[in-house]
Amino acid sequence: MNREQILVNDTLDMVSDRAGAEVLADVGTSSLTRFANSFIHQNVSEDIEQVTLKVALEGKVASSTTTATSPDALAGFVDSTLETAATQPVDEDWPGMGGPTEVAAVDHWDKDTAFADPMARAEAVKAFVDAGEGLLGAGYCETDSRRHAYGNTAGRRVHGRFTTAVVDGIHQTGTSAGSGHACGVAMSGLDAGAVGALAAQRARDSVGAFDAKPGQYQVVLSPECMATIAVFLNVYGFNGKMAEEGMSFVDLGEQQFDEAFSLWDGPTDPGALHLPFDIEGTPKRHLDLVRAGVTTSLLHTRRTAKKAGTESTGHAVQGAEMWGPFAWNMFVGGGGESVEALIAGVDRGIYVSTFNYCRVLDPKSLVVTGLTRNGTFMIENGKITEPVTNMRFTQSFVDALAPGRVEGIGDDARYADSEFGPTFIHAPTMRLGSWNFTGGASG
Amino acid sequence: MFDEAGLAVQGAIDAGAVYADARVVATRTETINVRNQNLDQMDRSETIGVGVRALIGSSWGFAATPDLTSESIRATGERAAAIARASAVVPGTPIEFADVPVTQDFWETPYEEDPFTVSTSEKVDTLVDVTKTMQEVEGIAIATGTLMFYDTNKWFVSSQGHRIHQHIVESGGGYDATAIGESETQRRSYPQSFGQYETGGYETIRAWDYEGNAQRIGEQAVALLTADEMEERETNLILEASQLALQIHESVGHAIELDRILGWEAAFAGTSHLELERLGTHRYGSELMNITADATLPGALGTFGFDDEGTPAQPVDIVKNGTWVGVLSGRDSAAIAGLPPGGMVRADGFNRLPMVRMTNVGLRPGEGTLEDIIAETDEGVYMSTNRSWSIDDKRLNFQFGTEIAWEVKNGELGKMLKNPTYTGITPQFWGSLDRLAGDSEWVHWGTPNCGKGQPMQVAHTGHSASPGRFANVRVGVKA
């Protein structure tokens, strides 16, 4: 039995029959080597051992998390959580706990990544930096190895493990920047030199950028941009809590997107990352959210599912009581066109490498404002002609993907770095018919 | 806990670090969320552990563990040094360190009522009551309330001899009402969006009169559904103080972080439009613009005794009469810039590397009141309470949305406007500041969710502001 399973069992034993209880133990190591101005300036590693306990005393619910996991500390932690619950009003929306279950037999784990040392990360940084001779590199290499176990007094026990590895960064000239990104389950699968070379090329190609006139443009959006769009669809649209509150655009069964557009949560897909269960121990399965443009499902925790009269889809995350469910293995369906072919189909438009600082203006229509960053280029007559300075847009992400708006999908789908982090969105390049740019770098 | 922190430092020094420091940090948090009179979340959490920072050559190595056995602590110190040493694969210029007084001290947040001893039933009842009041307004679909409390003890030890214990208490919360129309949602929040957070005890919650504002908030959310859209144009913009506080945070606070100016955050948070060689001459805004970074303001969220490098909290001038004169710095970044260290380096918990963070970056008040400013304005808009914020990686091009606005005509507030936005470029915008309200409306607004760094860190920062007016601002940008 692993440490995380022992922590779960010990904690449940301490609760005994005093209350219903569920326990999540998170054990692992997370390390990140960061560089700027082409040298490593911050280099960190942390051991993680954390227990989260939720107890229910006749409908009175309280939760606690602790990093103090000695037997004495855990005993005090359990008593304190029970005391807190006893003084609460009944939680009318408490969904209870799930019984025994089985999770998909996936193991997104790589031993070498789990035990990667700082030298391995430093070598990846060196490859990235060396690929941009004469440029200033900045970014990071991260390895993460985690083991989670979940158990409850209703008899559910699940556990799993995962690793992730990320190389991400930019190269900069004095006046421009370009980005590159790669991530996966294993460090050995990442080519840091290639990531650095792409960033360097984008930076060099961006020298001499001009201010493009604001307005509606065709766009070719990189996997990074599509990943950011997918995060907004995830958080504001397919979130069962937002839907229950009437704040989501989702209208199940309707053709809300272009028929070329599909979106799903795929914990068992080849190359997927993370765990096949959520923090409530609910198994995750393949879940279509949009199939051929038709919205088909919402994401649910046990709490949102109870309100909706359905079953949890296994998307509870820390803070879900407040923010609702979240998908950790989201795939945007790929296509068959090369990026060059997507660009060739543009009369006059803009290629965007990454979005930056996107924020929602209205959640229901999913109008978002944000900027472009690290490589924005004018496309004319099917070819990239000139770099343009960063542009501001104000655009409904749902309208941008509406029927008739998706003009082409790339064959380059991969895990991409959304503005809100890597490792949870797998997306291709996409060409969209219209995007509303509302300002340039100078206003 | 000084002994534990000292053991970690010794482990790093014995392993070859030229300098090391360590923090044992114990943090208790309590989070209460009520939605439509139902207690959705009652969470009490506690983290404790040690983080060790070791310097070798051009890089910090940092390691952290929650395991506070002697063997683990010492090994964590050694590991921090080994990590720093690995950085030599991609080396830079060796880091130098600005001097600060070597201090042994204790500092504690002044507070009256320990928020962790106030009964949970009183806290829950406060939120249940305000959500009930908001729900009683016809048309309110969702009413939520949040309270959060933090109690942090930090023991800091450095290889130079620092031994500092701090006890920091923070309290905050707020509530919002959401009205849902056919194709839109409208929300109003109090005291500001995402709540108001301060250093201090439960007395800070009582001071905001939660119940007395709940009905108004509910009514305004419903009224927004049928309000007119703001038209796109250039006009005089009057900002309510909490929105002006966020404007300061985004377009001044981050831009003056010395690590950003030096390029250390280039790949993620971004850099800055400011160039060090123009410190002392760069025109940031109008004569009315006087910004200080002051970690000593009683009650403000970014107030402490010492930063996480042991540098004493202090007030630092940032912008004087519109001219840029100061930065936010730590011991390493200050040494590079040839400036005195400002005591602005903090970490989000024991397991994060300390980095340059805002303290209380605020705008000194002017004269009079918001009412006076409106009365002096022939034509314009008044916007209140942040709804969205977006700014580029150099902190130049921004667009903000607020929850609510009103027309201003002939010195009076006119009709309510929904979906208000404004956009601008930082120096031009601050250059158009032509009016600021005075002391009586100057509030230490708190931002509890400032993200920066990799791995991500969330800082609690303060931004003092009173209402202000800006001329010729582009408002009403649409999709």
Side-chain angles (χ1 to χ4, degrees), chain A residues 181-241:
Chain A
H181 174 84
C183 89
V185 73
M187 270 285 281
S188 59
L190 309 184
D191 185 343
V195 174
L198 174 61
Q201 180 193 326
R202 282 174 166 167
R204 291 189 174 109
D205 289 348
S206 296
V207 172
F210 76 101
D211 288 354
K213 188 178 174 186
Q216 300 277 346
Y217 286 88
Q218 269 183 295
V219 285
V220 176
L221 302 180
S222 74
E224 270 60 49
C225 299
M226 292 309 303
T228 296
I229 291 173
V231 172
F232 278 85
L233 297 176
N234 191 346
V235 170
Y236 292 99
F238 295 97
N239 176 337
K241 183 169 188 284

Coordinates of all heavy atoms in Angstrom, one line a residue, chain A residues 181-241:
Chain A
H181 N 6.2 25.8 -27.0 CA 5.6 25.1 -25.9 C 5.6 23.6 -26.2 O 5.2 23.2 -27.3 CB 4.2 25.6 -25.5 CG 3.6 24.8 -24.4 ND1 3.8 25.0 -23.1 CD2 2.7 23.7 -24.5 CE1 3.1 24.1 -22.4 NE2 2.4 23.3 -23.2
A182 N 5.9 22.7 -25.2 CA 5.6 21.3 -25.4 C 5.3 20.7 -24.0 O 5.9 21.2 -23.0 CB 6.8 20.6 -26.0
C183 N 4.4 19.8 -23.9 CA 4.2 19.1 -22.7 C 3.7 17.7 -22.9 O 3.2 17.4 -24.0 CB 3.3 19.9 -21.8 SG 1.6 19.5 -22.0
G184 N 3.9 16.8 -21.9 CA 3.4 15.5 -22.1 C 3.6 14.7 -20.8 O 4.0 15.3 -19.7
V185 N 3.5 13.4 -20.8 CA 3.6 12.6 -19.6 C 5.1 12.4 -19.3 O 5.4 12.2 -18.1 CB 2.9 11.3 -19.8 CG1 3.6 10.3 -20.7 CG2 2.6 10.6 -18.5
A186 N 6.0 12.5 -20.3 CA 7.4 12.2 -20.1 C 8.3 13.3 -20.6 O 8.1 13.8 -21.7 CB 7.7 10.9 -20.8
M187 N 9.4 13.6 -19.8 CA 10.4 14.5 -20.2 C 11.1 14.0 -21.5 O 11.4 14.8 -22.4 CB 11.5 14.6 -19.2 CG 11.3 15.7 -18.1 SD 11.6 17.3 -18.8 CE 13.4 17.3 -18.7
S188 N 11.2 12.7 -21.7 CA 11.9 12.1 -22.8 C 11.2 12.4 -24.1 O 11.8 12.4 -25.2 CB 12.1 10.6 -22.6 OG 10.9 10.0 -22.5
G189 N 9.9 12.7 -24.0 CA 9.1 13.0 -25.2 C 9.1 14.4 -25.7 O 8.5 14.8 -26.7
L190 N 9.8 15.3 -24.9 CA 9.9 16.7 -25.2 C 11.2 17.1 -25.9 O 12.2 16.7 -25.4 CB 9.7 17.5 -24.0 CG 8.5 17.2 -23.0 CD1 8.4 18.2 -21.9 CD2 7.2 17.2 -23.8
D191 N 11.1 17.8 -27.0 CA 12.3 18.3 -27.7 C 12.5 19.8 -27.4 O 11.9 20.6 -28.1 CB 12.1 18.0 -29.2 CG 13.4 18.4 -30.0 OD1 14.2 19.1 -29.4 OD2 13.5 18.0 -31.1
A192 N 13.2 20.0 -26.3 CA 13.3 21.4 -25.9 C 14.0 22.3 -26.9 O 13.7 23.5 -27.1 CB 14.1 21.5 -24.5
G193 N 14.9 21.7 -27.7 CA 15.6 22.4 -28.7 C 14.7 22.9 -29.8 O 14.7 24.0 -30.3
A194 N 13.7 22.0 -30.2 CA 12.7 22.3 -31.2 C 11.8 23.4 -30.7 O 11.4 24.3 -31.4 CB 12.0 21.1 -31.6
V195 N 11.4 23.3 -29.4 CA 10.5 24.3 -28.8 C 11.3 25.7 -28.9 O 10.7 26.7 -29.2 CB 10.2 24.0 -27.4 CG1 9.4 25.1 -26.7 CG2 9.4 22.7 -27.4
G196 N 12.5 25.7 -28.5 CA 13.3 26.9 -28.5 C 13.5 27.4 -29.9 O 13.5 28.7 -30.1
A197 N 13.7 26.5 -30.9 CA 13.9 27.0 -32.3 C 12.6 27.7 -32.8 O 12.7 28.7 -33.5 CB 14.2 25.8 -33.1
L198 N 11.4 27.1 -32.5 CA 10.2 27.7 -32.9 C 10.0 29.1 -32.3 O 9.7 30.1 -33.0 CB 9.0 26.9 -32.5 CG 7.6 27.5 -32.8 CD1 7.4 27.8 -34.3 CD2 6.5 26.6 -32.3
A199 N 10.4 29.2 -31.0 CA 10.3 30.5 -30.3 C 11.2 31.5 -31.0 O 10.9 32.7 -31.2 CB 10.6 30.4 -28.8
A200 N 12.4 31.1 -31.3 CA 13.4 31.9 -31.9 C 13.0 32.4 -33.3 O 13.1 33.6 -33.6 CB 14.7 31.2 -32.0
Q201 N 12.4 31.5 -34.0 CA 11.9 31.8 -35.4 C 10.8 32.9 -35.3 O 10.8 33.9 -36.0 CB 11.4 30.6 -36.1 CG 10.9 30.9 -37.5 CD 10.2 29.7 -38.1 OE1 10.5 28.6 -37.8 NE2 9.1 30.0 -38.9
R202 N 9.9 32.6 -34.4 CA 8.8 33.6 -34.3 C 9.3 35.0 -33.8 O 8.8 36.0 -34.3 CB 7.7 33.1 -33.2 CG 6.8 32.0 -33.8 CD 5.9 31.4 -32.7 NE 4.8 30.6 -33.3 CZ 4.1 29.8 -32.5 NH1 4.3 29.7 -31.2 NH2 3.1 29.2 -33.1
A203 N 10.3 35.0 -32.9 CA 10.8 36.3 -32.4 C 11.5 37.0 -33.6 O 11.3 38.2 -33.8 CB 11.8 36.0 -31.3
R204 N 12.3 36.3 -34.4 CA 13.0 36.9 -35.5 C 12.0 37.4 -36.5 O 12.2 38.5 -37.1 CB 14.0 36.0 -36.1 CG 15.2 35.7 -35.1 CD 16.3 34.9 -35.8 NE 17.5 34.8 -34.9 CZ 17.8 33.7 -34.3 NH1 17.2 32.5 -34.6 NH2 18.9 33.6 -33.5
D205 N 11.0 36.6 -36.8 CA 10.0 37.0 -37.8 C 9.1 38.2 -37.4 O 8.5 38.8 -38.2 CB 9.1 35.8 -38.1 CG 9.8 34.7 -38.9 OD1 10.9 34.9 -39.4 OD2 9.2 33.6 -39.0
S206 N 9.2 38.4 -36.1 CA 8.3 39.5 -35.5 C 9.0 40.9 -35.5 O 8.4 41.9 -35.1 CB 7.8 39.2 -34.1 OG 7.0 38.0 -34.1
V207 N 10.3 40.9 -35.9 CA 11.0 42.2 -35.9 C 10.4 43.1 -37.0 O 10.1 42.7 -38.1 CB 12.5 42.0 -36.2 CG1 13.2 43.3 -36.4 CG2 13.1 41.1 -35.1
G208 N 10.2 44.4 -36.6 CA 9.7 45.4 -37.5 C 8.2 45.3 -37.6 O 7.6 45.7 -38.7
A209 N 7.5 44.9 -36.6 CA 6.0 44.8 -36.6 C 5.4 46.2 -36.7 O 5.9 47.2 -36.2 CB 5.5 44.2 -35.3
F210 N 4.2 46.2 -37.4 CA 3.5 47.5 -37.6 C 2.1 47.4 -36.9 O 1.7 46.3 -36.6 CB 3.3 47.8 -39.0 CG 2.3 47.0 -39.8 CD1 1.0 47.5 -40.0 CD2 2.5 45.7 -40.2 CE1 0.0 46.8 -40.7 CE2 1.6 44.9 -40.8 CZ 0.3 45.5 -41.1
D211 N 1.5 48.5 -36.6 CA 0.2 48.5 -36.0 C -0.9 48.3 -37.1 O -1.1 49.1 -37.9 CB -0.1 49.9 -35.4 CG 0.8 50.1 -34.1 OD1 1.4 49.2 -33.7 OD2 0.7 51.2 -33.6
A212 N -1.5 47.1 -37.0 CA -2.6 46.8 -37.9 C -3.9 47.6 -37.5 O -4.1 47.9 -36.3 CB -2.9 45.3 -37.9
K213 N -4.7 47.9 -38.5 CA -5.9 48.7 -38.2 C -6.9 47.7 -37.5 O -7.1 46.6 -38.0 CB -6.5 49.2 -39.6 CG -7.6 50.1 -39.4 CD -8.1 50.5 -40.8 CE -9.3 51.4 -40.7 NZ -9.9 51.7 -42.1
P214 N -7.5 48.2 -36.5 CA -8.6 47.4 -35.8 C -9.7 47.1 -36.8 O -9.9 47.8 -37.7 CB -9.1 48.2 -34.7 CG -8.0 49.2 -34.4 CD -7.3 49.5 -35.8
G215 N -10.4 46.0 -36.5 CA -11.6 45.6 -37.3 C -11.8 44.1 -37.3 O -11.1 43.4 -36.6
Q216 N -12.7 43.6 -38.2 CA -12.9 42.2 -38.3 C -11.9 41.6 -39.3 O -11.7 42.1 -40.4 CB -14.4 42.0 -38.9 CG -15.5 42.6 -38.0 CD -15.9 41.7 -36.9 OE1 -15.5 40.5 -36.9 NE2 -16.6 42.2 -35.9
Y217 N -11.3 40.5 -38.8 CA -10.3 39.8 -39.7 C -10.6 38.3 -39.6 O -11.1 37.7 -38.6 CB -8.9 40.0 -39.1 CG -8.3 41.3 -39.4 CD1 -8.5 42.4 -38.5 CD2 -7.5 41.6 -40.5 CE1 -7.9 43.6 -38.7 CE2 -6.9 42.8 -40.7 CZ -7.1 43.8 -39.8 OH -6.6 45.1 -40.0
Q218 N -10.3 37.6 -40.7 CA -10.1 36.1 -40.7 C -8.9 35.9 -39.8 O -8.0 36.7 -39.8 CB -9.8 35.6 -42.1 CG -10.9 35.1 -42.9 CD -10.4 34.6 -44.2 OE1 -9.8 35.3 -45.0 NE2 -10.6 33.3 -44.5
V219 N -9.0 34.8 -39.0 CA -7.8 34.5 -38.2 C -7.4 33.0 -38.3 O -8.2 32.2 -38.5 CB -8.1 34.8 -36.7 CG1 -8.1 36.3 -36.4 CG2 -9.4 34.1 -36.2
V220 N -6.1 32.8 -38.1 CA -5.6 31.5 -37.9 C -5.0 31.4 -36.5 O -4.1 32.2 -36.2 CB -4.5 31.1 -39.0 CG1 -3.9 29.7 -38.7 CG2 -5.1 31.1 -40.4
L221 N -5.7 30.6 -35.7 CA -5.3 30.6 -34.2 C -4.5 29.4 -33.9 O -5.0 28.2 -34.2 CB -6.6 30.7 -33.4 CG -7.5 31.9 -33.6 CD1 -8.7 31.8 -32.7 CD2 -6.7 33.2 -33.4
S222 N -3.4 29.6 -33.2 CA -2.5 28.4 -32.9 C -3.2 27.5 -31.8 O -4.2 27.9 -31.2 CB -1.2 29.0 -32.3 OG -1.5 29.5 -31.0
P223 N -2.6 26.4 -31.6 CA -3.2 25.5 -30.5 C -3.2 26.3 -29.2 O -4.1 26.0 -28.4 CB -2.2 24.3 -30.5 CG -1.7 24.2 -31.9 CD -1.6 25.7 -32.4
E224 N -2.3 27.2 -28.9 CA -2.3 27.9 -27.6 C -3.5 28.8 -27.5 O -4.2 28.8 -26.5 CB -1.0 28.8 -27.5 CG 0.1 28.1 -26.8 CD 0.6 26.9 -27.5 OE1 0.8 26.9 -28.7 OE2 0.8 25.8 -26.9
C225 N -3.9 29.5 -28.6 CA -5.1 30.3 -28.6 C -6.3 29.4 -28.5 O -7.2 29.8 -27.7 CB -5.2 31.1 -29.9 SG -3.9 32.2 -30.2
M226 N -6.4 28.3 -29.2 CA -7.5 27.4 -29.1 C -7.7 26.8 -27.7 O -8.8 26.6 -27.2 CB -7.5 26.3 -30.1 CG -7.6 26.8 -31.6 SD -9.1 27.9 -31.9 CE -10.4 26.8 -31.3
A227 N -6.5 26.6 -27.0 CA -6.6 26.1 -25.7 C -7.2 27.1 -24.7 O -8.0 26.8 -23.8 CB -5.2 25.7 -25.2
T228 N -6.8 28.4 -24.9 CA -7.4 29.4 -24.1 C -8.9 29.5 -24.3 O -9.7 29.6 -23.4 CB -6.8 30.8 -24.4 OG1 -5.4 30.7 -24.0 CG2 -7.4 31.9 -23.6
I229 N -9.3 29.4 -25.6 CA -10.8 29.5 -25.9 C -11.5 28.3 -25.2 O -12.5 28.4 -24.6 CB -11.0 29.4 -27.4 CG1 -10.6 30.7 -28.1 CG2 -12.5 29.1 -27.7 CD1 -10.6 30.7 -29.6
A230 N -10.8 27.1 -25.2 CA -11.4 25.9 -24.6 C -11.6 26.1 -23.1 O -12.5 25.6 -22.5 CB -10.6 24.7 -25.0
V231 N -10.6 26.8 -22.5 CA -10.7 27.0 -21.0 C -12.0 27.8 -20.7 O -12.7 27.5 -19.8 CB -9.5 27.7 -20.5 CG1 -9.7 28.1 -19.0 CG2 -8.3 26.8 -20.6
F232 N -12.2 28.8 -21.5 CA -13.4 29.7 -21.3 C -14.7 28.8 -21.5 O -15.7 29.0 -20.8 CB -13.4 30.9 -22.2 CG -12.6 32.0 -21.6 CD1 -11.2 32.0 -21.8 CD2 -13.1 33.0 -20.8 CE1 -10.4 33.0 -21.3 CE2 -12.3 34.0 -20.3 CZ -11.0 34.0 -20.5
L233 N -14.7 28.0 -22.6 CA -15.9 27.1 -22.8 C -16.1 26.2 -21.6 O -17.2 25.9 -21.1 CB -15.7 26.3 -24.1 CG -15.6 27.1 -25.4 CD1 -15.3 26.1 -26.5 CD2 -16.9 27.9 -25.7
N234 N -15.0 25.7 -21.1 CA -15.0 24.8 -19.9 C -15.5 25.5 -18.7 O -16.5 25.0 -18.1 CB -13.5 24.4 -19.7 CG -13.2 23.3 -18.7 OD1 -14.1 22.9 -18.0 ND2 -12.0 22.8 -18.7
V235 N -15.0 26.7 -18.4 CA -15.3 27.3 -17.1 C -16.7 28.0 -17.1 O -17.5 27.9 -16.2 CB -14.3 28.4 -16.7 CG1 -14.7 29.2 -15.6 CG2 -12.9 27.7 -16.4
Y236 N -17.0 28.6 -18.3 CA -18.2 29.5 -18.3 C -19.4 28.8 -19.0 O -20.5 29.2 -18.9 CB -18.0 30.8 -19.0 CG -17.1 31.7 -18.2 CD1 -15.7 31.8 -18.4 CD2 -17.6 32.4 -17.1 CE1 -14.9 32.6 -17.7 CE2 -16.8 33.2 -16.3 CZ -15.4 33.3 -16.6 OH -14.6 34.1 -15.9
G237 N -19.1 27.7 -19.8 CA -20.1 27.1 -20.6 C -20.6 25.8 -20.2 O -21.7 25.6 -19.8
F238 N -19.6 24.8 -20.1 CA -20.0 23.4 -19.8 C -20.0 23.1 -18.3 O -20.2 22.0 -17.9 CB -19.1 22.5 -20.6 CG -19.3 22.6 -22.1 CD1 -18.5 23.5 -22.9 CD2 -20.4 22.0 -22.7 CE1 -18.7 23.6 -24.2 CE2 -20.6 22.2 -24.1 CZ -19.8 23.0 -24.8
N239 N -19.7 24.1 -17.6 CA -19.7 24.1 -16.1 C -21.2 23.9 -15.6 O -22.0 24.8 -15.8 CB -19.1 25.4 -15.6 CG -19.1 25.6 -14.1 OD1 -19.9 25.0 -13.4 ND2 -18.2 26.4 -13.6
G240 N -21.5 22.8 -15.0 CA -22.8 22.5 -14.6 C -23.4 23.5 -13.6 O -24.6 23.7 -13.5
K241 N -22.5 24.1 -12.8 CA -23.0 25.1 -11.8 C -23.4 26.4 -12.6 O -24.5 26.9 -12.2 CB -21.8 25.4 -10.9 CG -22.2 26.4 -9.8 CD -21.1 26.5 -8.7 CE -21.6 27.3 -7.5 NZ -21.6 28.7 -7.7

